[in-house]
Amino acid sequence: MLENSRYNEVLDLKKWEVLSATVSGYIRSALPVGSNAVNRYFGLSYSPATIRNIMSDLEELGYLTHPHTSAGRVPTEKGFRYFVDHSDFKKRAASSEWKAISRVIEPLLSGASVADLKEVLSDIVIQVSRTAGYAVFVMETRTQDEARVVSIEAVPISGRHVLVIVIFETGQLLKKTIAYPEGIRWGEFRKIIGKLNRIGRFRTLSSIREDLLIEMEGLSLAYAILLREFETLGKTPDFKLYGASQFAKIPEFSKVTDLKSVFEVFEEQMSLFAVLKKMVEPRGVSVAIGSENQVPGLDVCTVISIPLTRSGAWFGTIGVVGPVRMEYAQVIPLMTYLSDRLNEWLSGRESKD
Amino acid sequence: MLENSRYNEVLDLKKWEVLSATVSGYIRSALPVGSNAVNRYFGLSYSPATIRNIMSDLEELGYLTHPHTSAGRVPTEKGFRYFVDHSDFKKRAASSEWKAISRVIEPLLSGASVADLKEVLSDIVIQVSRTAGYAVFVMETRTQDEARVVSIEAVPISGRHVLVIVIFETGQLLKKTIAYPEGIRWGEFRKIIGKLNRIGRFRTLSSIREDLLIEMEGLSLAYAILLREFETLGKTPDFKLYGASQFAKIPEFSKVTDLKSVFEVFEEQMSLFAVLKKMVEPRGVSVAIGSENQVPGLDVCTVISIPLTRSGAWFGTIGVVGPVRMEYAQVIPLMTYLSDRLNEWLSGRESKD
DNA sequence: TTTAGCACTCCATATTGTTGAGTGCTAAAT
DNA sequence: ATTTAGCACTCAACAATATGGAGTGCTAAA
């Protein structure tokens, strides 16, 4: 069972069996599930009539709904949530089926250096999308506050602009063109950069920032400008969505207008950013079902996401996006594996190979 | 008229009027256009019966088709091509409507440095997508063969990896992690980088490559490795598509399966790359209608694209993607303006401000 | 050469009928 | 006290059938 059971209500065995069967059936078929189907395809020992009674109870409790009088049952978000919280997905994690992902992910990780993070994440996300059959996004803040700086370079570009490059131990780069006012000369700027390098080598950007505030007081206007730039250095998140075409398979999005609203959410990335940041807390796999995603247009989707962390600090998220009727039993183990493997790689336990 | 008239066949005035009206009508409505509609809404002085006769001729010539006996006419690709080649879009280019784009583009370009190329292109493409109402992609090869090098830096990362960074005059960066074999030491590597810097400052990467071949013969294995890496440095094209949600508006893609094939093309970027490279020749705006796009899944789309060049060398493409039934009269002037403005900016005629 | 008139075609839409999966209830069975 | 069979009822989905109208092609007159 996953850790976060949001409902203290606990269903008895019979109810759980029926709910589980209904949810599973609905995930497979995308069609309302009737009492007969539950009885036949899931081998429950209760008759259809009994199952009807139980389903009726589950409906009253809010786990199932009725599209119309003579249709089968469809799980509510609450139903999906209960299903996700009370299924033991680890059991199935051993199945050969999802092991396929490791055959695909391992070669991407084993040779690679963390310096190529971006490319590696791209490749991984494409593979995950293919394997899982859903769209997958990767979002990466470029705040490298916790990575150690190797060198800071400055290159004059035009009469008024300097390109500042911060090179991190991890091989990542941060660049920023800075406009400096007329009064300040290139020579002065270079002196500051030199000092920064002496101070900053093998320290984190955030600790350099602190020191700058203390040590270099009143050095000059140039310094003030530089410092201000450092505040915002590389805060723009980088966002990519892969496998959007996968949505076409999904009956929920058979109307183009439904698809549209989802795509719009991904084009409006900033709103996503805020939400994803909030979802970090439960270390490991987060599942946000339907309206649990606080993003307006995304309430028809489930997002299964894992945080990217380095030295304990969050710097990005990978997420699988699909319908609420998602193949949780496939995707959750997959993402669990990916989370473990990726964070192991990020923490550099492999840099010796 | 655009330069490339691909059909030597020339229609007489009457036929042109009817064709033009039919195409325009179809672009507006997405519905087959009947003889009445052409007569009424386009104020042609011929009666519906006459127009029917002309349409019948145009059909025989291959410019129009008939979905079924009692339906109006729909332009063929040949019809669209003739329309595009023989319309004078510059006339309409003065309309206040599309001038809006300059109000949006100018602020993005005027302050910006070429160092922020990527961000600027991103912003532009988003704005173009919003203004034009179609999806827009930007593709950028990272081959900076013609930009001059300011500095080459090397930073050791792990026992076996070096991060090489090439900094260009334009503020662009190229980075590559290079694995070097056991036999070679960091010190040796550093010497090579030092030499490279002395040789390379303010020269283009391609000319450095040539010199390396001559001057540094037999220097060592390390050099051989480095050289090989330089061959492929930054050849991976960078590709992004914005405004995919715009497709939802378009009746042609009202079936999700139709959308799917288009999205798949954009996920499979390499095939696009080859095609876009071929489309550079006609400097300025290229229009590829339907199957003129040599990409299999893209034959239901028109792509209107402009090349990105620096010092005459192509390094990328921006393209508007929409249905064959695209608003050519809006998009072509827009892209013409953008092409002019962008290449002016890229050639650095503004670096003085 | 252009145009009015007219019969004809065929898609789109609405109407109606039929089917069957599924429910809820009641009463019997365990 | 549960479970189950039996049965009437509901309602979406599908198919079959009308109806309307936009648009054509042809013919004959202007």
Side-chain angles (χ1 to χ4, degrees), chain A residues 119-138:
Chain A
E119 289 76 10
V120 170
L121 287 180
S122 271
D123 290 345
I124 285 178
V125 152
I126 289 171
Q127 294 305 334
V128 170
S129 172
R130 291 212 182 121
T131 313
Y134 298 107
V136 181
F137 67 83
V138 56

Side-chain angles (χ1 to χ4, degrees), chain A residues 19-322:
Chain A
L19 175 62
S20 173
T22 308
V23 173
S24 301
Y26 184 67
I27 286 175
R28 282 218 221 316
S29 68
L31 261 33
V33 179
S35 52
N36 271 304
V38 169
N39 170 256
R40 229 174 312 132
Y41 299 114
F42 295 89
L44 294 195
S45 51
Y46 321 108
S47 77
T50 310
I51 291 169
R52 274 205 289 286
N53 286 330
I54 300 172
M55 279 174 141
S56 178
D57 293 349
L58 285 169
E59 184 163 6
E60 205 153 331
L61 291 167
Y63 295 98
L64 300 176
T65 3
H66 238 181
H68 57 85
T69 336
S70 69
R73 284 338 197 280
V74 170
T76 60
E77 280 182 16
K78 187 178 172 186
F80 278 110
R81 168 52 62 196
Y82 195 95
F83 175 77
V84 168
D85 287 347
H86 293 80
S87 294
D88 185 0
F89 294 120
K90 274 161 207 158
K91 251 188 227 156
R92 318 201 196 181
S95 84
S96 73
E97 186 183 36
W98 82 265
K99 261 190 183 168
I101 192 66
S102 70
R103 269 198 295 280
V104 163
I105 298 291
E106 287 307 328
L108 293 176
L109 288 181
S110 66
S113 144
V114 186
D116 302 317
L117 179 65
K118 205 162 190 158
E119 289 76 10
V120 170
L121 287 180
S122 271
D123 290 345
I124 285 178
V125 152
I126 289 171
Q127 294 305 334
V128 170
S129 172
R130 291 212 182 121
T131 313
Y134 298 107
V136 181
F137 67 83
V138 56
M139 194 254 272
E140 198 191 337
T141 64
R142 283 192 242 119
T143 312
Q144 276 105 344
D145 278 357
E146 298 311 317
R148 282 185 299 181
V149 172
V150 170
S151 173
I152 300 172
E153 308 284 331
V155 181
I157 290 185
S158 72
R160 281 193 171 191
H161 291 89
V162 189
L163 177 69
V164 178
I165 305 165
V166 183
I167 304 167
F168 292 91
E169 202 185 21
T170 56
Q172 291 180 284
L173 303 180
L174 227 49
K175 70 165 182 171
K176 177 107 187 181
T177 357
I178 295 177
Y180 56 112
E182 213 56 68
I184 292 157
R185 306 293 210 87
W186 168 235
E188 194 178 350
F189 219 104
R190 199 148 87 168
K191 251 190 279 173
I192 297 173
I193 296 290
K195 191 153 188 179
L196 272 178
N197 264 307
R198 259 168 284 133
I199 296 175
R201 205 167 288 257
F202 293 105
R203 306 199 21 214
T204 68
L205 207 52
S206 53
S207 82
I208 295 174
R209 271 201 210 105
E210 279 168 30
D211 274 23
L212 280 175
L213 278 168
I214 301 161
E215 285 187 32
M216 295 181 78
E217 259 183 11
L219 181 69
S220 78
L221 186 58
Y223 163 65
I225 290 163
L226 197 55
L227 187 66
R228 197 179 38 207
E229 295 295 342
F230 266 101
E231 288 299 324
T232 58
L233 202 56
K235 299 265 187 191
T236 343
D238 200 22
F239 192 98
K240 274 196 175 180
L241 177 70
Y242 293 88
S245 67
Q246 303 274 14
F247 279 108
K249 292 206 233 315
I250 299 169
E252 272 86 342
F253 302 108
S254 60
K255 277 171 246 147
V256 180
T257 44
D258 302 337
L259 255 185
K260 194 191 173 188
S261 60
V262 175
F263 282 141
E264 276 169 352
V265 172
F266 285 97
E267 275 159 27
E268 188 67 49
Q269 295 160 8
M270 291 321 291
S271 58
L272 263 180
F273 178 71
V275 174
L276 291 172
K277 214 169 173 179
K278 268 195 292 186
M279 274 172 55
V280 188
E281 8 155 23
R283 210 194 127 80
V285 180
S286 307
V287 181
I289 298 170
S291 57
E292 289 172 16
N293 289 296
Q294 298 293 349
V295 190
L298 216 62
D299 53 339
V300 290
C301 291
T302 280
V303 178
I304 299 185
S305 61
I306 57 172
L308 300 171
T309 57
R310 184 156 35 220
S311 325
W314 175 78
F315 72 93
T317 297
I318 291 181
V320 175
V321 186

Side-chain angles (χ1 to χ4, degrees), chain B residues 14 45-50 52-53 68-70:
Chain B
K14 239 182 315 178
S45 50
Y46 321 106
S47 77
T50 310
R52 274 203 291 283
N53 287 330
H68 56 85
T69 336
S70 68

Side-chain angles (χ1 to χ4, degrees), chain B residues 119-173:
Chain B
E119 289 76 12
V120 171
L121 288 179
S122 271
D123 290 346
I124 285 179
V125 152
I126 290 169
Q127 293 305 334
V128 170
S129 172
R130 292 213 182 120
T131 313
Y134 297 107
V136 181
F137 66 82
V138 57
M139 195 253 272
E140 197 192 337
T141 65
R142 284 192 241 117
T143 312
Q144 276 106 345
D145 278 358
E146 298 312 317
R148 282 185 299 181
V149 172
V150 170
S151 172
I152 300 172
E153 307 285 331
V155 181
I157 291 184
S158 71
R160 281 191 172 193
H161 292 89
V162 189
L163 177 70
V164 178
I165 305 165
V166 182
I167 304 166
F168 293 91
E169 202 186 22
T170 57
Q172 291 179 284
L173 303 180

Side-chain angles (χ1 to χ4, degrees), chain B residues 209-353:
Chain B
R209 271 198 211 109
E210 279 167 30
D211 275 23
L212 280 175
L213 278 167
I214 301 160
E215 286 187 32
M216 296 180 79
E217 258 182 14
L219 181 71
S220 77
L221 185 60
Y223 163 65
I225 291 164
L226 196 56
L227 187 65
R228 198 179 38 206
E229 295 295 344
F230 264 102
E231 288 300 323
T232 58
L233 202 55
K235 299 264 186 191
T236 344
D238 200 22
F239 192 97
K240 273 196 177 180
L241 177 71
Y242 293 87
S245 67
Q246 303 273 14
F247 279 108
K249 290 204 228 336
I250 300 169
E252 273 86 341
F253 302 107
S254 60
K255 276 171 247 146
V256 181
T257 47
D258 303 337
L259 253 185
K260 193 191 174 189
S261 60
V262 175
F263 282 145
E264 275 169 353
V265 172
F266 285 98
E267 275 160 26
E268 189 66 47
Q269 294 160 8
M270 292 321 290
S271 59
L272 261 181
F273 177 72
V275 174
L276 291 173
K277 214 170 173 179
K278 270 195 292 186
M279 275 174 55
V280 187
E281 4 154 26
R283 210 195 126 79
V285 180
S286 307
V287 181
I289 299 170
S291 56
E292 290 172 14
N293 290 295
Q294 297 294 349
V295 190
L298 217 61
D299 54 338
V300 291
C301 290
T302 280
V303 178
I304 299 183
S305 62
I306 56 171
L308 300 171
T309 57
R310 183 157 36 220
S311 325
W314 175 76
F315 71 93
T317 297
I318 291 180
V320 176
V321 186
V324 171
R325 188 188 60 75
M326 192 188 260
E327 288 273 9
Y328 296 96
Q330 313 282 327
V331 179
I332 290 178
L334 193 163
M335 293 298 272
T336 308
Y337 156 77
L338 186 64
S339 176
D340 292 347
R341 196 61 192 75
L342 208 49
N343 283 308
E344 183 188 326
W345 179 72
L346 282 167
S347 68
R349 256 176 267 171
E350 295 202 330
S351 57
K352 276 103 197 156
D353 74 329

